[in-house]
Amino acid sequence: MLEQPTAHLDVSAMLAAGAMPFLLGGSFYRWRYSRRLEHELHAARRAERRLRHEVHRDKLTGLANRAALEADIRQALCTEGPAFERNALLLLDLDRFKAINDTMGHDAGDRLLALFGARLRRAFSGEATVYRLGGDEFVLTAGGASSQAEAEMLAARVKALFEAPFDLGEAQVASGCSIGIAFVERTDTATGEVLKRADLALYEAKAVSGNSHAFHSEILTHAAQQRAEAERDVARGLENSEFFLEFLPIAGAASGAIRAFEALLRWQHPLRGVIGEQAFIEPSEQSPGTRSLGYWTLKAACTEAERWPSPTGLTVAPFAPQLKERDFVEQVRQCLGETGLPAGRLTIEVTGDFSTEDLALIADNLKGLRALGVRIALGGGAGSSLPLNLIAELQPHQVTIDLTAIRATHGSERSVALLSCLIKTGQVLRLAIAVRGIEKESEVDCAQASGAVEVRGPWISPALTDVTALLKAGAATDLRRSA
């Protein structure tokens, strides 16, 4: 019987024909599945790392962001026992950033942020972590900086980063920053607690002009609580119609006849009685209700002034934050339209000290008001000179000299002589000069002889709730004779 030849398998041919799964059974499928699963797992891990990086990284500067800061502080607060470190947290806010954004555009502002972030990263690489919270706010945290002296050194190094200007392409700009310093304490339970303390310190640092720092203290916390309480009180007072206006007569220095009235905000407080705005102006300026209260004041004053015989004028001194609002010109336009008061009868008086950052926006708003036909007065001259820098920047129609402030600074004997000098200086500059705070006949005589255009104060007339009787007496009424 012939032996059958042994069959030889052509593996190559069978592989080409797709017979390998048949030969190996289910093991090949399991191998392919495990390889695919491994690839998918690696891809998922890469995607997770990329997502984590994106979630914790600021796109503009490449720095860690707020989410990363919260995660890092949360981890630090979870550390127990001796391993816990009391670290300094520096909250940084760029000076003049808003002015750069407004005048040079958002691209220039973004470039400034990116350049500052790069300087911070290079300066503190390996010894501190830098975060960008958003806008022009940055945070610096450093391990081992547990004392005020060590935090002071960090703040000094941050401020030194502004010694060289920033090249924004179309121009080089100088800047600075305000720094609020707090410490991550064992008693903290959340990132927000640390940031709140640092923000209170930052608020204090901003009160000092340029490249300044401040540490948090319990005094700042107490002051913040008082401000918050006052802000709630103002909001309640506005809701309950507790605010009202008085009007201070403004007379021509030469004629003594009524020319205008200054609107003065008053508060019929349920506990404190009637109080003037100086008693609540500071908390209300920082309150979110400032816009509502300021607009109420402007509209109520214009509504009243519209009833006065033309050309009797109205002077209103807005809160400082109002002057920096982007839509302030539109607010005034709307108010004039709703009340029917002609723009030429309204004078906006600008008072207070302003930073360089604020001046650009205020000057732009005042330019818009002048285009409407509104008059601009600059409240200044409280010392022995006129505020020449503000006069050049804001271009007012007139400057109002505060004689009360001069008297408080230099005494009654010198106040009249200084008043005369200031008025004459204004004449040299071709500025109309008004005087407020007149308390004596000699002061009104000095204002008249020196060439002032307007006077107001207790010797002329006290502030009045109802000016109807005074206006009925006619425009020629000499307030000096009735004082």
Side-chain angles (χ1 to χ4, degrees):
M1 188 174 177
L2 295 176
E3 185 178 350
Q4 296 294 326
T6 303
H8 295 283
L9 298 176
D10 189 344
V11 176
S12 298
M14 296 185 70
L15 284 173
M20 191 64 176
F22 173 78
L23 294 172
L24 300 180
S27 63
F28 178 75
Y29 288 110
R30 287 193 298 272
W31 175 78
R32 286 190 62 186
Y33 176 75
S34 64
R35 289 292 295 170
R36 185 169 68 249
L37 188 61
E38 184 178 355
H39 284 305
E40 290 176 354
L41 184 59
H42 284 313
R45 287 173 177 170
R46 286 195 301 269
E48 183 183 359
R49 286 195 297 269
R50 185 169 61 252
L51 182 60
R52 189 184 301 116
H53 179 83
E54 291 176 356
V55 168
H56 289 86
R57 194 65 48 181
D58 176 59
K59 292 182 179 180
L60 177 64
T61 62
L63 299 172
N65 61 12
R66 187 187 186 100
L69 173 66
E70 291 180 349
D72 291 346
I73 291 184
R74 189 163 53 246
Q75 182 177 354
L77 294 177
C78 289
T79 305
E80 297 181 357
F84 177 83
E85 287 188 295
R86 179 182 186 262
N87 293 333
L89 181 146
L90 280 66
L91 178 60
L92 321 176
D93 185 273
L94 283 176
D95 297 334
R96 299 189 61 247
F97 178 73
K98 193 168 184 296
I100 292 169
N101 245 358
D102 291 339
T103 58
M104 300 180 65
H106 291 284
D107 288 343
D110 286 348
R111 179 162 176 76
L112 174 60
L113 295 174
L115 290 174
F116 178 53
R119 288 188 187 184
L120 283 171
R121 186 190 298 110
R122 287 194 301 269
F124 295 97
S125 177
E127 59 177 308
T129 307
V130 182
Y131 308 83
R132 182 188 173 215
L133 293 191
D136 61 333
E137 285 193 334
F138 294 78
V139 162
L140 184 74
T141 61
S146 59
S147 70
Q148 184 165 323
E150 291 166 323
E152 289 262 13
M153 293 177 62
L154 289 175
R157 289 173 58 189
V158 171
K159 288 185 277 189
L161 298 177
F162 294 93
E163 292 175 356
F166 293 87
D167 185 2
L168 303 186
E170 58 185 271
Q172 289 192 334
V173 298
S175 187
C177 76
S178 300
I179 306 172
I181 307 174
F183 291 92
V184 180
E185 305 284 3
R186 189 184 297 274
T187 54
D188 290 321
T189 58
T191 305
E193 295 178 11
V194 189
L195 286 178
K196 184 178 180 179
R197 295 198 301 272
D199 193 55
L200 290 175
L202 178 63
Y203 179 86
E204 188 75 6
K206 284 182 175 182
V208 184
S209 58
N211 248 17
S212 303
H213 70 274
F215 285 86
H216 173 263
S217 67
E218 289 306 313
I219 295 175
L220 295 183
T221 297
H222 179 65
Q225 291 170 346
Q226 287 186 316
R227 282 197 302 272
E229 183 179 345
E231 289 164 7
R232 289 191 293 269
D233 203 20
V234 168
R236 179 201 52 75
L238 188 57
E239 184 178 354
N240 294 339
S241 303
E242 295 172 1
F243 293 97
F244 66 98
L245 297 179
E246 288 185 340
F247 296 93
L248 182 66
I250 301 173
S255 66
I258 299 172
R259 292 174 59 129
F261 293 89
E262 178 186 4
L264 302 175
L265 182 61
R266 300 288 184 255
W267 188 358
Q268 180 65 60
H269 197 279
L271 299 178
R272 301 168 64 187
V274 176
I275 55 177
E277 65 180 53
Q278 293 305 317
F280 60 87
I281 186 71
E282 183 177 353
S284 68
E285 279 196 353
Q286 304 304 326
S287 168
T290 296
R291 181 185 177 97
S292 299
L293 182 57
Y295 187 76
W296 178 89
T297 302
L298 179 64
K299 187 172 181 181
C302 289
T303 300
E304 180 66 22
E306 193 276 330
R307 304 189 187 105
W308 302 339
S310 181
T312 307
L314 168 68
T315 295
V316 178
F319 296 145
Q322 285 181 274
L323 296 168
K324 295 178 281 186
E325 290 177 358
R326 293 182 180 278
D327 64 341
F328 180 61
V329 176
E330 185 55 38
Q331 289 181 43
V332 174
R333 186 201 310 273
Q334 179 180 343
C335 185
L336 293 173
E338 291 177 353
T339 62
L341 181 70
R345 289 174 56 189
L346 174 63
T347 297
I348 294 294
E349 190 163 78
V350 181
T351 59
D353 297 323
F354 304 107
S355 66
T356 304
E357 180 179 354
D358 293 336
L359 272 181
L361 183 54
I362 293 173
D364 193 49
N365 276 339
L366 297 187
K367 180 180 178 181
L369 293 179
R370 284 193 295 270
L372 290 180
V374 174
R375 296 181 73 253
I376 306 300
L378 175 60
S384 56
S385 63
L386 295 175
L388 299 179
N389 60 322
L390 294 180
I391 291 171
E393 188 78 26
L394 304 181
Q395 300 179 16
H397 294 91
Q398 73 177 42
V399 173
T400 303
I401 296 173
D402 188 352
L403 185 53
T404 304
I406 295 176
R407 195 183 297 111
T409 304
H410 300 283
S412 297
E413 294 183 2
R414 297 184 60 196
S415 62
V416 173
L418 287 171
L419 174 63
S420 177
C421 290
L422 289 173
I423 296 173
K424 290 175 180 177
T425 302
Q427 288 180 321
V428 171
L429 298 173
R430 297 182 179 180
L431 278 170
I433 302 294
V435 183
R436 68 176 302 152
I438 297 288
E439 295 181 355
K440 303 176 183 178
E441 185 174 6
S442 59
E443 293 169 349
V444 76
D445 288 342
C446 172
Q448 182 181 21
S450 302
V453 296
E454 292 179 352
V455 287
R456 57 186 125 153
W459 194 85
I460 302 298
S461 172
L464 306 169
T465 304
D466 186 1
V467 300
T468 306
L470 194 60
L471 289 170
K472 283 182 179 178
T477 299
D478 190 335
L479 296 183
R480 293 176 300 175
R481 289 196 294 270
S482 62

